[in-house]
Amino acid sequence: MEDDASLIPRPVLVEAPGAAPEGSARPGNGRLPLGVHTRLDAEAGTESTARWLRAVLGAATGLTFPDGADPHGIALRISPDVERELGPEGYRLCTDGSATGAAVVVEGGSPAGVFWGAQTLRQLLGPDAFRAAPLPPAGRTWDLPRIAVADRPRFAWRGMMLDVSRHFLPKTDVLRQLDLLAAHKLNVFHFHLTDDQGWRIRIERHPRLTDIGSWRTRTKYGHRASDLWDETPHGGYYTQDDIREIVAYAADRHITVVPEIDIPGHSQAAIAAYPELGNTDVPTSPDGKPLAVWDTWGINPNVLAPTDSTLRFYEGVLEEVLALFPSTFIHIGGDECLKDQWKASPAAQARITELGLADEDELQSWFIRHFDTWLAARGRRLIGWDEILEGGLAPGAAVSSWRGYAGGIAAAEAGHDVVMCPEQQVYLDHRQDGGPDEPMPIGYVRTLEDVYRFEPVPPGLSPEAAAHIMGTQANVWTEVMQNRARVDYQVFPRLAAFAEVAWSALPASADRDFADFERRMTAHYRRLDALGVDYRPPGGPLPWQKRPLPEGMTGSLGRPIEGAPPNV
C-alpha cells in the first residue's frame, strides 16, 4: 500500500518503529493485515467516524469491520493527553501493533481529531481505498505499514469557498465537494449562495427570491468583454431540506458550513425578485425595463436601498439562514458595492443626512454595523470581505482578506480576526498555466508550486496581530466553470498544495521542499483518480479538457493577466 512519505498534508511527526515487541499483534513481515475478522471499536464520541470508516473502507475493500474490541482490530479513542499535547484537532495514529488493546489505534484530542486520523489511515491503505467498490481479485489482501503518526493543524480555519451563484452545482456535487475537502483535512466550507446572477437558497417567507431570482435567461460566455452568449437558461436552488442535508453531511465530516448572503452589493437577483429592495428613485436599467437576474459578469451598479424595510427584509432572510446553519460565522459579503446609485438617490442622500454620516462609504458601514449587532444579539459573528473596512469596521466583525494581504493586515493590527485568501495567491479560478490549450483563461498564472509557496501570515506582522489570523481559504469563483468537471480542473491538484499550507507546519515559503511534495503527489494523483476527480494533469490538459472555441474564433475570450501578481 502506501509508505509514510506519500501522506498529504504532511504530518508533524512520522516514525517507523523498529522490531515488534514480544507478544505484539504485528506480523513478522512488518505489515499489519486487515481482514474479514478485523473489528472496529469506537469509543463514545467517535461513532460518526466509525460510520464513515465502515462506509468508505467497507465499499472499497469489501470488509465489514464488525463492532467490538479486539487486540488485532482498530480502535478509535478520544484522549485528553492528545488534546493537551496536540490540541483538539490533533491526533495520534499507531499501526505497529504495540498499542494496548488494538493493533491500530487512532487517538484524537476531540471527535474531529479522531476523524483526521482516520483520513490518514485511509491514505495509508493506498489509492484503491478511495474507490467505491472492491477491485478484483475478490478477497485481496489489505494491510498497513508499521507507522506512528503525531499530527495537528497549523490553522483552525482551513477553508474553501465555492460560488454556486454564477453557475449552480446540484446538491450531489456539493456533497462530493465536502468529501474532497475532508480527504484533505479542510474544515470550513464557505458557501457563496447569493449574487447578481442567482439566488440559491429557498427563503420561505420570500419565495420570489428563488421563484424568480434563481434563474437567468442566458449566460455570458467567457469574460464580460466577450460578445458571445450561451442562450440556455441557467439556474437552480437548494431547498431548506437540501441545506439541512448538506450541513449534516458536513458536520459528520467535521466541516463547518459558513453561508454567504451578499449585502449591500451583488444583489441584482434579489432586486429582480423584489424591486422595492432597490433604489427606486434612480434608473436601475439602461432601457428602463424591470431588472432581471443578471446574465453577465463584473461589478453591478444595482445595490440595496438603505431603508428600514430593506433591513427588515434581510433580517427575515437571516432568521431562516440562522435556523439552517449552526456556524458561528455568517458571511454577509460587503464587497464591490458601487456607490453611484446612492450618490444619485435623493432617498439615500436623505438617509446619510438623517444618520449623520459623512459619505456613502459610511452608509455601507452602517449596513454592516447593523447586521453585526443583529447577529451578535443572536450569538453569531459577522464576517465579510475586506471592503467592510471602508467607512469603519463593525467592532465584532471578522475579515476575509481577498484583495491582497493589506486588508487583513489592517484588520489584524486593529484586533479583528482574519481569514487570509488573497486573490493573487489562492483564487483557484485563476489559470494554472499560460499555454494556449488551457480552459478559459482568467487572471494570473498560479501553478501548483505557487500555491504550495503561499504563506498566509505575512512577514512583519506583530505577534499580537498574527494571533488574529484564524486561518486561510482558497476561493473558487465559477463565472467560467459551467459544471463539476470544470470546477475539478481548476481546483485540483492545487487544493492539495493549499491543504498542506493550511494544515502543516511548513518552513518559510522559499525554503519549502516542493520536490518532496511533488514526489508525494505521485501517490496522491492515484487517489484523485480513484475518486474520479477531473484534475489538471501535470503534463497539461487532456484532449477533452482543452478550451473549445466557437467556430471561427481564434482569440482568447477570457481575461489572462501576464506577469507575476503584485504582493499587496
Side-chain angles (χ1 to χ4, degrees):
M1 307 317 181
E2 295 306 312
D3 62 31
D4 61 292
S6 70
L7 294 174
I8 289 178
R10 176 177 278 286
V12 171
L13 179 65
V14 179
E15 293 181 331
E22 185 176 352
S24 79
R26 194 179 74 228
N29 66 2
R31 298 194 71 86
L32 190 70
L34 303 180
V36 293
H37 301 296
T38 300
R39 292 183 173 275
L40 176 58
D41 182 27
E43 186 179 276
T46 71
E47 296 89 348
S48 65
T49 296
R51 286 195 302 272
W52 177 84
L53 270 174
R54 288 190 176 102
V56 298
L57 295 187
T61 67
L63 305 178
T64 58
F65 301 101
D67 183 48
D70 182 353
H72 301 280
I74 301 169
L76 307 179
R77 300 170 181 166
I78 296 174
S79 166
D81 289 340
V82 171
E83 183 179 18
R84 281 191 295 271
E85 295 173 20
L86 298 171
E89 289 192 278
Y91 69 89
R92 293 187 186 278
L93 168 63
C94 182
T95 65
D96 73 342
S98 63
T100 303
V104 179
V105 177
V106 181
E107 292 183 299
S110 70
V114 175
F115 183 70
W116 305 132
Q119 291 288 353
T120 298
L121 176 66
R122 187 189 192 187
Q123 287 196 18
L124 289 170
L125 281 169
D128 288 345
F130 290 78
R131 296 192 178 275
L135 297 183
R140 62 175 289 187
T141 300
W142 291 88
D143 57 26
L144 290 162
R146 295 186 294 111
I147 202 168
V149 179
D151 202 9
R152 64 182 174 195
R154 179 185 179 192
F155 292 110
W157 184 302
R158 308 179 303 279
M160 189 189 88
M161 186 227 65
L162 180 64
D163 164 28
V164 294
S165 294
R166 277 46 179 269
H167 280 100
F168 178 72
L169 281 179
K171 179 192 66 179
T172 52
D173 289 347
V174 174
L175 299 177
R176 175 178 175 271
Q177 283 296 324
L178 291 169
D179 279 327
L180 293 173
L181 295 187
H184 292 83
K185 298 187 175 73
L186 298 174
N187 68 343
V188 175
F189 179 59
H190 176 170
F191 206 8
H192 184 81
L193 289 163
T194 75
D195 217 297
D196 300 302
Q197 294 85 2
W199 186 285
R200 306 295 181 211
I201 177 173
R202 182 70 173 179
I203 302 298
E204 298 298 345
R205 73 189 71 186
H206 301 305
R208 295 206 306 269
L209 286 171
T210 45
D211 292 347
I212 295 172
S214 70
W215 287 91
R216 58 180 182 263
T217 58
R218 63 177 186 170
T219 300
K220 176 68 72 173
Y221 180 81
H223 184 249
R224 60 181 176 270
S226 164
D227 59 359
L228 297 178
W229 296 87
D230 179 347
E231 298 291 346
T232 306
H234 181 84
Y237 67 89
Y238 309 103
T239 68
Q240 293 203 355
D241 280 344
D242 290 337
I243 294 294
R244 293 184 183 99
E245 181 182 358
I246 288 167
V247 168
Y249 195 87
D252 269 352
R253 288 147 183 78
H254 300 277
I255 296 171
T256 299
V257 183
V258 177
E260 180 176 352
I261 305 295
D262 252 313
I263 56 172
H266 286 293
S267 296
Q268 182 161 320
I271 297 169
Y274 292 92
E276 64 272 21
L277 294 173
N279 296 277
T280 56
D281 56 349
V282 296
T284 56
S285 62
D287 56 10
K289 294 180 180 179
L291 283 180
V293 177
W294 213 25
D295 54 13
T296 189
W297 321 123
I299 303 177
N300 192 297
N302 290 292
V303 300
L304 298 175
T307 63
D308 288 341
S309 61
T310 298
L311 298 183
R312 301 292 88 77
F313 183 97
Y314 274 87
E315 288 171 0
V317 168
L318 289 172
E319 283 177 2
E320 296 192 27
V321 168
L322 296 192
L324 294 168
F325 295 92
S327 167
T328 298
F329 286 97
I330 304 295
H331 208 291
I332 51 72
D335 62 314
E336 297 181 329
C337 178
L338 296 180
K339 313 296 195 300
D340 295 346
Q341 285 188 351
W342 288 346
K343 291 176 181 177
S345 164
Q349 291 301 308
R351 196 69 197 251
I352 289 173
T353 301
E354 172 195 344
L355 296 170
L357 304 176
D359 53 23
E360 292 76 22
D361 284 344
E362 289 196 3
L363 185 61
Q364 176 171 344
S365 179
W366 168 79
F367 255 106
I368 304 303
R369 286 175 181 270
H370 174 86
F371 286 102
D372 178 72
T373 301
W374 189 90
L375 288 168
R378 288 154 180 82
R380 307 298 184 97
R381 289 187 64 189
L382 180 148
I383 185 169
W385 303 110
D386 55 57
E387 285 94 330
I388 67 174
L389 291 162
E390 298 166 3
L393 184 58
V399 168
S400 301
S401 188
W402 77 273
R403 291 182 293 180
Y405 289 106
I409 292 170
E413 293 286 7
H416 295 276
D417 289 336
V418 173
V419 175
M420 281 292 187
C421 48
E423 65 169 328
Q424 301 86 355
Q425 311 296 331
V426 288
Y427 267 35
L428 299 185
D429 45 306
H430 284 207
R431 58 202 173 122
Q432 301 182 69
D433 189 271
D437 289 335
E438 294 297 314
M440 191 64 63
I442 299 294
Y444 297 100
V445 172
R446 294 284 84 193
T447 66
L448 183 68
E449 182 172 0
D450 290 330
V451 174
Y452 190 68
R453 296 194 185 281
F454 164 61
E455 173 49 50
V457 180
L461 207 59
S462 69
E464 295 78 13
H468 284 287
I469 306 299
M470 294 190 294
T472 184
Q473 178 173 291
N475 292 339
V476 182
W477 301 102
T478 60
E479 286 90 339
V480 298
M481 299 182 214
Q482 297 90 341
N483 52 44
R484 187 183 86 178
R486 279 290 289 117
V487 172
D488 276 5
Y489 184 92
Q490 291 302 125
V491 170
F492 292 98
R494 293 183 294 181
L495 195 72
F498 174 80
E500 186 147 314
V501 168
W503 177 278
S504 304
L506 297 177
S509 177
D511 298 329
R512 293 176 187 172
D513 189 350
F514 180 68
D516 174 71
F517 177 76
E518 275 194 308
R519 180 171 53 80
R520 287 181 284 124
M521 278 299 298
T522 301
H524 202 66
Y525 284 121
R526 298 200 301 273
R527 297 180 193 127
L528 297 179
D529 287 332
L531 288 166
V533 177
D534 290 313
Y535 59 86
R536 182 189 187 276
L542 299 170
W544 57 88
Q545 295 173 321
K546 294 180 180 180
R547 173 164 43 117
L549 288 173
E551 187 176 354
M553 294 294 296
T554 58
S556 168
L557 303 175
R559 186 180 64 93
I561 305 175
E562 302 303 334
N567 188 11
V568 295

